Amino acid sequence: MRSRLTVALGRTARTLARLRGGGSGGTAFPGLVMERADPGFLARTLGQLPHGVVLVSGTNGKTTTTKMVVQLLRDQGLKVFTNRTGSNFVRGVLAALLTEVDAAGHLDADVAVLELDEAHAVHFVRAVKPRAALMLNVMRDQLDRFGEIDYTASLLRQAALSTRDVVVVNADDPRLNGERFLEGLSARTAAFGVGPALRSVFLSDDDLRAEQAATADDRAPNDDDAPDSAAAPGALADAAAESDADRNALASPCPAPRVRLVALAGNEASIEVDGAEHRATFAIPGIHNVLNACAALTLVLEVLGDRADLPRLLDTLAEIRPAFGRGEVITLDGRPVQLALVKNPAGFRMSLLSAPTARADATALADAARAGATSRADTATAANRPRPDELIMIAINDEYADGRDMSWLWDVDFTSLKRAGVAVVTGVRAWDMALRLRYDEVPVDVVEPDLEAALDALRERAAAADRPMRIYTSYTAMLALRARLGNLTEVEEVMK
Amino acid sequence: MSTAPTVYPHTGDGPARGRIRVLQLYPRDMNIYGDWGNLLTLARRGQWHGYDVERFSYNPGDELPQEVDLVLGGGGQDSGQERIKDDLVRIGPCLRQWAADGVPMLVICGLYQLFGHRFVTGEGSQIPGIGLLDAETTAGPGRLIGNIVLDSPEFGRVVGYENHSGLTTLGPGAEPLGAVRLGDGNNGKDGVEGARFKHVIGTYLHGPLLPKNPAVADWLLERAVELRGGAWDPLPIDDADARRASNVAASRPR
């Protein structure tokens, strides 16, 4: 009875919000009204689900991975409730529930898969104890919101402590694979990770700094003349050996990964599941997305247990397309525009390295991995050449959702763009970005802070040269550019 | 372990106007929030001004180079500070001597705090600093975070981003870097930010302070050149991008 009232109240609030908002209406207001009127609604409604609540968190890749988990579970025959992107707050979850429940407050679903950021995950688990949680990574974005990475990890740990059955962690993330994170959890732990050949490609933020400290040759302007340095490779090998030793320490509380990404050649991945190797060809671009797929697969295997149909799960994963703005390809004037969301140094670097549409690069990357390249420098160099015919735009805003702090741009190595150059730099912080590129000696054609004017400039240049486009973009710039692209061409509708 | 320096050779024709040896303190543990930007800015501007820049790295347990012309240090996580604090005390006397000799230094955030007398934690225990700067830091209740703009008597407007929870108070032996026009600064109360002693600058303007404030970068380079009796003879550098970037930063919400 109480739920019935709450649903009616929430729907009234939504109608009011829509009337006031001229039809657009936000998700926050009805959520707020429901939260105030009936604090137990969330737990009561989600508590009905036979397979419980599955939470996806971490600093990078939540939206894409959540989309994968949902798809995997649906293809295994489950009815899944999820919060589609943009509403990963408790109130957003409430608002999403409002559209799904019947008038009595009954949710017709078997399981809920929810994307929650670090801070909201903590609030959420106070109300609802998840059955399973996936912790993707702890990277260095949103420092202006959360202060420190170690603190971000502690927020995720609070969510992990409230999880009942299983916590899935990234075996290669030093903030998630250690005792500090894993000790005292009541849920069992499972892990996903990468094989030794690819480890050098997936640098944690710590590795990134260590690498910067060690490989000065990338930075020196004479790197073309002197590709080799006696010091750097040795230092890198030492660092790699050290972290391997850490990883293999007997005392490590992190279990061996159930799912490991062993090799990637183009879009052909080799994935080890419970020790057996499988091949899959992915539709989704980007090596980080293939790792997200491994994370999603681990979580789903843990959640489904014996019911899991592995060959089918692998088929589903292979077909998944990028979530909006995350490597999504839009066609403009008959030419592809790829949107690459960038939020932090490791993510930006990965995006520059994986250059997903550049088949030659991905192949080189895989070759390097197959050859067992142990030096980060080798693997990175092979993957570092951007596709020469792609016009690049970088769009950087500093709104709250992007992070106000621009410091992180200085932790990204842009020297891989030196030869191709950057066609257009845009966004509120266009001049910060231009300044950053200048110090890495990357030529920039146009600096235009206005996003629409910048997109026009990119479009003109692409038309004149008949070249595809790629846009590296911060979050709010991505939303704006995507909306603008939606006026110019066909873009998938996303509920916000 | 002491490693050979990385060389950033001068650009342009003809011989170098000189050599500037930059020592980066604890790049492994105290190098977060874009601190790399400061090193890169010093190296590039040194090159553009016609000097060869040599970069030395120093991590805990390493041997310090005999002579350096400029010292750079950054911020870190609490865990990073934990790893370097004893080593810093060990090399403190050498750093103090260098500072007394006029070696220019720029230390940000975590190392700014540890260049002071002490850091008093929330529980009241003390982490000793090296007392190079007459400053003391106490753990604060929250974080002071956001865009920050200073008026500096020496450098004019200085623009950056602060993110710290430690509250720093200066003693009579230190001058502030500037007066706070937007933001919190050292402790949110005094209205000042940073500390200066001789040619040493400590500040909370974290990470890439220098790219958007080239006057500070060139001042450090000039002090470094003069330290060894060289004449500072800079070449013109077009800093229009830096001006625009810092104008935008100064106009943004905190």
Side-chain angles (χ1 to χ4, degrees):
Chain A
M1 188 60 208
R2 177 125 199 230
S3 294
R4 191 177 287 278
L5 279 173
T6 306
V7 170
L9 188 63
R11 289 194 172 146
T12 309
R14 188 174 59 189
T15 308
L16 286 173
R18 281 186 181 158
L19 286 173
R20 275 207 342 206
S24 61
T27 57
F29 179 64
L32 174 69
V33 169
M34 292 162 76
E35 207 178 6
R36 290 273 163 82
D38 183 2
F41 181 77
L42 190 68
R44 217 163 52 236
T45 311
L46 294 177
Q48 308 160 357
L49 304 178
H51 286 268
V53 173
V54 174
L55 192 148
V56 177
S57 196
T59 50
N60 248 24
K62 289 186 288 291
T63 302
T64 300
T65 310
T66 303
K67 180 175 172 170
M68 290 173 170
V69 172
V70 168
Q71 202 59 50
L72 289 173
L73 290 172
R74 279 186 181 151
D75 271 25
Q76 300 281 309
L78 294 186
K79 281 187 197 157
V80 183
F81 165 75
T82 187
N83 55 337
R84 286 201 71 188
T85 187
S87 56
N88 64 357
F89 297 7
V90 173
R91 280 165 204 168
V93 175
L94 278 168
L97 268 180
L98 194 58
T99 65
E100 299 289 324
V101 292
D102 64 18
H106 179 75
L107 180 63
D108 183 23
D110 300 310
V111 60
V113 179
L114 302 176
E115 165 194 345
L116 289 168
D117 80 12
E118 307 81 300
H120 292 102
V122 171
H123 288 296
F124 181 85
V125 298
R126 273 187 212 129
V128 182
K129 304 284 168 239
R131 180 183 157 208
L134 169 60
M135 305 301 182
L136 289 167
N137 44 51
V138 186
M139 287 184 191
R140 199 164 19 136
D141 63 346
Q142 308 194 329
L143 281 179
D144 52 338
R145 286 173 64 191
F146 301 128
E148 288 214 327
I149 326 179
D150 294 340
Y151 177 63
T152 307
S154 76
L155 293 177
L156 289 182
R157 180 169 150 78
Q158 287 181 54
L161 282 168
S162 295
T163 302
R164 291 188 285 118
D165 279 9
V166 61
V167 174
V168 178
V169 297
N170 183 338
D172 302 309
D173 191 311
R175 288 189 173 73
L176 298 174
N177 67 9
E179 202 166 305
R180 226 170 134 180
F181 190 84
L182 294 171
E183 75 170 345
L185 300 190
S186 51
R188 68 178 186 277
T189 52
F192 66 96
V194 296
L198 288 176
R199 202 161 288 150
S200 58
V201 182
F202 290 96
L203 298 182
S204 71
D205 277 337
D206 306 85
D207 293 336
L208 204 63
R209 282 199 297 286
E211 183 192 42
Q212 268 177 351
T215 58
D217 290 293
D218 292 349
R219 307 286 183 164
N222 59 346
D223 59 348
D224 296 341
D225 311 321
D228 277 317
S229 119
L236 289 170
D238 287 351
E242 239 172 70
S243 65
D244 265 12
D246 288 350
R247 216 184 301 275
N248 297 334
L250 288 172
S252 170
C254 187
R258 259 198 98 166
V259 179
R260 289 207 309 172
L261 175 58
V262 187
L264 188 69
N267 289 335
E268 310 266 332
S270 173
I271 294 174
E272 209 178 84
V273 184
D274 296 326
E277 198 156 325
H278 302 265
R279 303 235 151 218
T281 306
F282 281 86
I284 198 164
I287 191 166
H288 48 299
N289 280 331
V290 178
L291 184 62
N292 288 336
C294 292
L297 181 59
T298 312
L299 178 69
V300 168
L301 288 173
E302 290 290 329
V303 168
L304 292 179
D306 295 343
R307 297 180 39 168
D309 175 354
L310 181 61
R312 179 145 184 196
L313 286 170
L314 287 167
D315 285 348
T316 306
L317 271 185
E319 286 161 17
I320 280 169
R321 308 253 149 209
F324 87 124
R326 280 92 172 160
E328 174 187 39
V329 180
I330 290 165
T331 304
L332 176 65
D333 308 329
R335 292 178 198 90
V337 188
Q338 186 174 112
L339 293 176
L341 180 66
V342 290
K343 300 194 297 181
N344 57 39
F348 207 147
R349 176 185 183 281
M350 195 59 71
S351 217
L352 288 170
L353 280 182
S354 57
T357 55
R359 202 150 244 297
D361 297 350
T363 310
L365 182 71
D367 289 347
R370 254 201 307 275
T374 46
S375 152
R376 239 167 238 161
D378 290 353
T379 319
T381 313
N384 233 351
R385 293 173 212 111
R387 189 172 163 182
D389 62 350
E390 212 167 35
L391 279 177
I392 291 171
M393 178 159 104
I394 304 180
I396 303 293
N397 275 359
D398 68 350
E399 302 302 337
Y400 179 74
D402 302 295
R404 299 242 182 248
D405 185 4
M406 288 298 107
S407 304
W408 67 281
L409 293 177
W410 293 86
D411 286 325
V412 183
D413 182 351
F414 291 99
T415 48
S416 65
L417 298 176
K418 232 158 126 173
R419 280 189 192 82
V422 171
V424 183
V425 173
T426 184
V428 175
R429 292 296 193 125
W431 292 108
D432 271 82
M433 190 64 230
L435 185 64
R436 175 69 193 93
L437 290 170
R438 182 162 173 243
Y439 274 92
D440 266 352
E441 302 178 315
V442 176
V444 173
D445 196 11
V446 177
V447 183
E448 169 53 70
D450 182 80
L451 292 168
E452 288 198 8
L455 191 58
D456 291 345
L458 179 72
R459 192 183 181 191
E460 269 168 35
R461 278 167 175 72
D466 191 21
R467 288 163 68 175
M469 292 150 272
R470 176 179 310 202
I471 305 176
Y472 294 102
T473 173
S474 72
Y475 184 71
T476 68
M478 185 269 285
L479 294 182
L481 287 167
R482 206 173 175 282
R484 173 69 177 159
L485 282 164
N487 294 335
L488 301 173
T489 183
E490 202 154 302
V491 171
E492 186 199 354
E493 280 295 319
V494 176
M495 183 189 82
K496 287 205 212 85
Chain B
M1 183 183 78
S2 160
T3 45
T6 303
V7 181
Y8 297 76
H10 67 285
T11 56
D13 304 327
R17 292 155 176 241
R19 174 176 71 147
I20 303 171
R21 291 163 298 185
V22 180
L23 176 70
Q24 199 182 9
L25 286 178
Y26 308 118
R28 219 160 51 200
D29 296 308
M30 303 294 281
N31 182 22
I32 195 175
Y33 306 122
D35 285 313
W36 180 260
N38 289 330
L39 186 277
L40 190 63
T41 303
L42 287 174
R44 289 274 184 259
R45 296 186 77 82
Q47 294 180 301
W48 295 338
H49 283 310
Y51 295 84
D52 290 339
V53 179
E54 293 180 2
R55 181 183 71 112
F56 294 82
S57 292
Y58 176 86
N59 287 301
D62 287 355
E63 231 169 85
L64 277 174
Q66 292 294 308
E67 262 188 349
V68 299
D69 309 319
L70 207 164
V71 174
L72 194 58
Q77 300 285 306
D78 292 346
S79 50
Q81 279 186 39
E82 195 57 39
R83 282 194 292 273
I84 62 105
K85 66 181 182 15
D86 294 338
D87 189 85
L88 181 66
V89 168
R90 184 178 71 90
I91 64 169
C94 180
L95 293 172
R96 278 201 303 272
Q97 185 59 51
W98 283 347
D101 294 344
V103 174
M105 304 186 185
L106 175 68
V107 284
I108 309 282
C109 216
L111 279 177
Y112 167 37
Q113 294 170 343
L114 294 179
F115 265 47
H117 299 297
R118 63 189 67 82
F119 184 101
V120 183
T121 68
E123 294 80 43
S125 63
Q126 297 198 357
I127 300 168
I130 60 172
L132 194 156
L133 292 168
D134 187 12
E136 183 167 314
T137 303
T138 312
R143 286 194 90 80
L144 311 180
I145 301 186
N147 288 306
I148 177 167
V149 181
L150 312 179
D151 281 317
S152 158
E154 179 114 31
F155 306 112
R157 183 184 67 176
V158 176
V159 174
Y161 196 91
E162 63 180 329
N163 183 351
H164 55 111
S165 58
L167 306 176
T168 299
T169 313
L170 303 187
E175 293 291 318
L177 171 62
V180 178
R181 207 197 297 164
L182 167 76
D184 283 314
N186 279 341
N187 51 43
K189 287 193 187 119
D190 296 354
V192 296
E193 158 56 33
R196 290 188 56 187
F197 167 72
K198 298 197 98 158
H199 299 149
V200 179
I201 301 174
T203 176
Y204 280 120
L205 270 59
H206 76 209
L209 163 70
L210 297 181
K212 281 204 275 287
N213 300 286
V216 182
D218 284 359
W219 181 88
L220 290 164
L221 291 169
E222 181 175 357
R223 299 284 85 75
V225 168
E226 286 177 358
L227 179 71
R228 305 295 165 204
W232 176 242
D233 182 17
L235 293 172
I237 294 176
D238 180 359
D239 283 323
D241 288 7
R243 260 196 311 281
R244 290 180 181 120
S246 79
N247 284 342
V248 171
S251 73
R252 297 299 293 158
R254 189 148 148 79

